Amino acid sequence: MKRSKQTLLTNKVIQQKVNTLLSKMTLEQKIGQMTQAERMSCTPEQARQYHIGSILSSAGSRPENNHTEGWVAMNEAYWQASSQADESHLGIPTLYGLDAIHGNNNVTGATVFPHNIGLGAANDTDLLQKIATTTAKEVLATGVDWSFAPNLAIARDTHWGRTYESYASKPKPVGKFATEIVKGLQGDLSDDHIMACAKHWVGDGGATYGIDHGDTILSWEEIQKTHIPPFVKAIDTGVLSIMVSFSSWNGDKCHGHKFLLTDILKEKLRFEGIVISDMQGIDYLADDFYLAVAMGVNAGIDMFMVPRNWSMFIDNLISHVQLGTVSIARIDDAVKRILTVKFAFGLFDKPSPANRKWSNHSSFGSFKHREIARKAVQKSLVLLKNENKTLPLDRQAKILVAGKNAHDLGHQCGGFTINWQGVSGNESIQGGTSIWEGISSLAEYASLSNSQGMDANPKHHDFAIVVVGET
């Protein structure tokens, strides 16, 4: 297995800053940094009081004003609360994270790109990097620092309901894409880029029978050959965070797997960034949440996505350290990694979200960005058959466009768009073009069926285009 190295995160100047700050921190302040709370359950004042290291918007969680100005104002409040120091609080900026996995898809009016399965079909690395760079700009427009992307799952069974989040069923193309996406999102870690997060470590796409959160039953040699290589590419490219998988490996949950998290990821692959849990991921380690906290920390997780019960997590972890069931050395390792990433990313030196150059930027959802999305859509299309040279259709033909998804932007965009499972209809998606709208703009004699195609008539129509699909 290739040994990876991240010279940036072993920088002596950064480490000196980290060690100086770490030496000033109380146990409560350290554990606060290990905690990622959800915006709906943690106010800026609470984030300050409990020294919270990160806030997230879970998919579909958004401010009341779901436009860039609403997001920037929200992030500004968390930034100001966390950054100002006094006798009881160290000024450590929070990291704000979200699932911008095919564009900044939580936000109204964002440019939405095809899902990973489509981009894998496009097989264009230059385009992928351009999409990642564009996504970074649209995330920055909201004042956010961190996207939980790319997903590097190797989908081996198409029964898996999250197959659309996977670029390919083989490791080589996924590794190739991982390099370009991390480059596009993170760049040189300047103010023009955001943090990336490779997920989910490891093997979620290989679960038996395609069961989500299931069990990947493979030998070490096979998981090393199939599921780990894309993560090696991401680490080599300098990815600053990796998210743990909900799934299990040979019966053991990845969130409690010290061999996978510490022995392999941190020690053998020499990953020096943040290992973050998935949403409430440690809950499945034990029936007793108190025991689950220690299992996750001792396995090697550094930051815990505990959106609702973050205060319980903090209390429980403080208790474990006091009782000796979690060592202070493990706490210091986790906090050192979190602070290292924050310094390496330049978080301490950045202006507050309201004063950043990309915040509320006019490029958000712009024609230029949407042209990149259109190109991605065109390249991601897969033609299965073209019998008798039916395609391309004559633009002057009388075309009937039918099917429940012919004029439904929500279904066209799929999951992780405005809401976790996506939306139905056209009201929530601003700036998009439905399939019907695209066809009607080019074919003047096209008509949209209002009866699921029951009005098809060879006397009135030359062709029918039927658009099917699921929510």
Side-chain angles (χ1 to χ4, degrees):
M1 181 181 292
K2 187 173 181 179
R3 293 171 62 84
S4 303
K5 186 177 181 181
Q6 289 184 312
T7 56
L8 179 65
L9 298 181
T10 54
N11 182 292
K12 290 182 179 179
V13 175
I14 290 176
Q15 292 309 313
Q16 186 175 9
K17 292 178 180 178
V18 169
N19 291 331
T20 299
L21 186 54
L22 191 65
S23 69
K24 299 176 183 178
M25 297 176 74
T26 64
L27 177 61
E28 289 76 11
Q29 289 167 342
K30 290 176 180 178
I31 291 174
Q33 285 299 303
M34 296 172 65
T35 307
Q36 185 181 68
E38 222 281 345
R39 54 165 291 276
M40 292 189 292
S41 68
C42 182
T43 66
E45 292 72 24
Q46 288 174 312
R48 175 184 177 81
Q49 180 183 352
Y50 291 92
H51 320 287
I52 301 298
S54 180
I55 300 291
L56 86 148
S57 281
S58 54
S61 175
R62 51 195 181 267
E64 185 176 353
N65 177 0
N66 192 24
H67 296 273
T68 58
E69 59 269 21
W71 281 84
V72 170
M74 177 183 67
N75 277 284
E76 178 73 10
Y78 284 109
W79 178 276
Q80 293 294 346
S82 64
S83 299
Q84 295 174 8
D86 57 32
E87 64 278 359
S88 62
H89 179 77
L90 293 171
I92 303 175
T94 54
L95 271 170
Y96 201 105
L98 47 66
D99 285 295
I101 59 172
H102 66 135
N104 195 1
N105 41 265
N106 269 334
V107 186
T108 300
T111 306
V112 177
F113 295 94
H115 278 291
N116 291 354
I117 193 170
L119 297 181
N123 193 28
D124 185 329
T125 52
D126 291 339
L127 179 61
L128 274 167
Q129 187 177 143
K130 191 176 290 186
I131 289 169
T133 301
T134 304
T135 299
K137 296 293 191 300
E138 297 215 353
V139 171
L140 290 170
T142 59
V144 173
D145 310 293
W146 190 9
S147 173
F148 306 132
N151 190 328
L152 304 182
I154 309 293
R156 305 293 280 183
D157 188 327
T158 52
H159 292 99
W160 187 37
R162 299 183 69 163
T163 295
Y164 73 93
E165 294 185 58
S166 174
Y167 294 101
S169 61
K170 296 181 180 178
K172 189 171 181 179
V174 177
K176 180 175 65 173
F177 301 152
T179 298
E180 300 308 317
I181 294 160
V182 173
K183 283 180 183 177
L185 292 175
Q186 287 193 177
D188 56 0
L189 303 181
S190 69
D191 292 346
D192 299 331
H193 295 90
I194 62 173
M195 276 176 48
C197 181
K199 63 185 187 183
H200 303 89
W201 177 265
V202 61
D204 51 341
T208 304
Y209 306 123
I211 297 172
D212 197 32
H213 299 193
D215 192 4
T216 299
I217 302 173
L218 290 174
S219 67
W220 165 245
E221 290 74 22
E222 188 59 33
I223 202 166
Q224 181 179 234
K225 180 176 123 182
T226 304
H227 295 279
I228 288 180
F231 287 91
V232 174
K233 292 290 188 181
I235 294 169
D236 285 347
T237 313
V239 71
L240 291 177
S241 61
I242 291 178
M243 186 181 292
V244 186
S245 175
F246 268 120
S247 59
S248 302
W249 177 43
N250 293 336
D252 296 318
K253 286 287 184 184
C254 292
H255 273 75
H257 214 299
K258 186 175 182 292
F259 173 75
L260 288 176
L261 300 181
T262 299
D263 298 352
I264 298 301
L265 184 57
K266 289 184 172 181
E267 294 179 3
K268 196 160 189 178
L269 293 181
R270 297 171 67 180
F271 174 65
E272 296 176 340
I274 299 170
V275 176
I276 182 171
S277 76
D278 205 337
M279 178 82 69
Q280 300 288 158
I282 59 170
D283 289 22
Y284 302 90
L285 296 180
D287 292 334
D288 186 337
F289 183 72
Y290 181 81
L291 297 177
V293 169
M295 292 170 70
V297 176
N298 288 331
I301 300 173
D302 305 311
M303 183 177 280
F304 290 78
M305 192 183 290
V306 279
R308 293 174 293 278
N309 57 345
W310 54 268
S311 60
M312 184 187 296
F313 167 81
I314 291 172
D315 291 341
N316 288 351
L317 187 48
I318 289 172
S319 174
H320 278 297
V321 175
Q322 291 171 339
L323 293 172
T325 44
V326 172
S327 71
I328 193 65
R330 175 73 268 272
I331 298 296
D332 285 347
D333 170 60
V335 179
K336 190 170 183 178
R337 287 169 175 273
I338 293 164
L339 295 179
T340 295
V341 164
K342 288 186 174 185
F343 276 114
F345 185 54
L347 201 63
F348 288 86
D349 301 319
K350 295 178 188 291
S352 70
N355 296 296
R356 295 176 186 172
K357 68 177 182 178
W358 288 106
S359 290
N360 293 314
H361 200 272
S362 60
S363 64
F364 181 87
S366 64
F367 178 81
K368 182 179 179 181
H369 286 183
R370 293 183 188 281
E371 281 298 288
I372 297 169
R374 289 187 182 95
K375 183 176 181 181
V377 170
Q378 291 164 1
K379 284 212 155 193
S380 71
L381 297 176
V382 178
L383 179 62
L384 300 181
K385 276 186 179 182
N386 190 17
E387 292 179 345
N388 302 318
K389 296 183 179 180
T390 301
L391 300 176
L393 297 181
D394 182 354
R395 294 189 183 195
Q396 298 302 308
K398 297 172 184 176
I399 302 170
L400 179 68
V401 182
K404 66 178 183 179
N405 288 339
H407 189 39
D408 193 316
L409 282 169
H411 292 184
Q412 191 171 309
C413 292
F416 284 96
T417 313
I418 303 298
N419 291 326
W420 175 38
Q421 296 287 345
V423 293
S424 295
N426 298 321
E427 293 75 22
S428 300
I429 311 293
Q430 292 184 6
T433 306
S434 73
I435 294 174
W436 156 246
E437 288 170 334
I439 292 170
S440 62
S441 69
L442 297 176
E444 61 178 314
Y445 300 114
S447 59
L448 178 66
S449 173
N450 294 313
S451 60
Q452 296 297 307
M454 295 299 291
D455 48 346
N457 188 327
K459 294 180 180 179
H460 304 301
H461 307 116
D462 301 315
F463 298 99
I465 297 175
V466 184
V467 187
V468 298
E470 301 174 324
T471 54

